[in-house]
Amino acid sequence: EQIESRLFTIRHAWKAARQVVRECVAGGGDSQT
């Protein structure tokens, strides 16, 4: 029960993090400066 909701949160965060990394790599990390 609780584990499922926690797993969903982790999966969502993982997907979001991967997207951010992808954007950074695609942008060449130029936006961070």
Side-chain angles (χ1 to χ4, degrees):
E1 307 87 29
Q2 226 180 6
I3 297 177
E4 268 189 40
S5 63
R6 206 172 277 185
L7 190 75
F8 182 79
T9 302
I10 293 174
R11 270 174 58 185
H12 187 75
W14 174 250
K15 280 179 93 178
R18 268 179 64 183
Q19 196 170 359
V20 171
V21 172
R22 254 181 148 182
E23 275 186 30
C24 284
V25 173
D30 204 84
S31 52
Q32 286 197 355
T33 310

